[in-house]
Amino acid sequence: MIFPIVKYPEPVLQQPGEPVTEFDDALRAFVADMFETMYAAQGIGLAAPQVNRSRRITVVDLSNGKDPEKKMVLINPEIVERHGKIYEEEGCLSFPEIREKVVRAARVRVRAQDAHGKWFEVEGEELLSRCLQHEIDHLDGVLFIFRISGLKRDLALRRIRKMQRAGEW
Ligand code: NI
């Protein structure tokens, strides 16, 4: 099932998600639907608040469905180590057409649970590092637009309002 993706300024995007405590078939079906939704939208990461569920669940696949080994499910994830800095352009499925450069850690180590509740750790560099930080931010209700300078944010928000008025958002 493909979910509609909510766009800024839906309030669910700016609320911290609830931790997951039940690792049941319903959760696994939801995760499968999140992958389906992300692939349909050509994304490489999707967080549950973006499909209007305020829960700490995110899926990531840098291959966008081309390599099954790249599929990652991160439930209740937390960043346990950060190293270095990178400054690259990011987009977000909840901000169509908006791309901004964001400062992120160059490498992160993340601890998370899989869809069966088993804890694991994963390390990401460069694009994967940015993607993990962007998605975990979503679970904290933090949007990438709030990680850029106030001036650039105002310009982006003005663009969004213009698109909203034109019925393009
Ligand atoms: Ni996003």
Side-chain angles (χ1 to χ4, degrees):
M1 179 188 164
I2 296 174
F3 297 118
I5 294 176
V6 301
K7 283 184 276 192
Y8 178 85
E10 280 295 321
V12 68
L13 292 172
Q14 292 183 75
Q15 290 162 8
E18 289 289 322
V20 174
T21 53
E22 297 274 312
F23 294 84
D24 54 9
D25 287 347
L27 173 70
R28 288 182 283 277
F30 175 70
V31 165
D33 287 342
M34 281 188 67
F35 275 110
E36 203 184 332
T37 302
M38 178 175 78
Y39 294 144
Q42 307 277 308
I44 57 170
L46 183 70
Q50 293 182 279
V51 295
N52 210 13
R53 305 292 160 86
S54 196
R55 304 179 72 195
R56 301 187 70 81
I57 304 167
T58 178
V59 296
V60 167
D61 181 351
L62 297 194
S63 81
N64 191 248
K66 289 177 193 78
D67 178 358
E69 298 206 340
K70 294 267 160 48
K71 279 177 85 164
M72 293 175 56
V73 179
L74 300 113
I75 298 173
N76 301 324
E78 46 190 285
I79 296 172
V80 292
E81 274 179 47
R82 309 166 185 267
H83 302 277
K85 282 224 173 0
I86 41 177
Y87 183 52
E88 299 285 343
E89 218 172 58
E90 284 180 23
C92 178
L93 294 174
S94 296
F95 288 83
E97 294 185 42
I98 305 288
R99 296 193 67 83
E100 296 289 345
K101 283 180 98 173
V102 182
V103 179
R104 299 283 189 188
R107 182 158 60 88
V108 289
R109 174 176 283 274
V110 172
R111 186 173 174 266
Q113 283 168 286
D114 67 16
H116 295 271
K118 190 168 173 264
W119 287 96
F120 67 96
E121 284 195 357
V122 60
E123 235 184 64
E125 287 186 330
E126 302 292 329
L127 179 59
L128 180 57
S129 176
R130 289 199 281 124
C131 189
L132 290 167
Q133 290 167 83
H134 180 113
E135 299 310 326
I136 293 171
D137 264 358
H138 271 300
L139 307 184
D140 293 326
V142 176
L143 299 168
F144 79 128
I145 205 95
F146 294 102
R147 289 211 180 272
I148 63 177
S149 77
L151 182 69
K152 284 185 179 169
R153 178 165 58 244
D154 288 347
L155 285 170
L157 294 177
R158 205 175 301 166
R159 248 188 93 192
I160 291 168
R161 279 195 294 273
K162 211 171 149 189
M163 284 190 267
Q164 282 173 321
R165 278 198 302 272
E168 292 161 358
W169 185 262

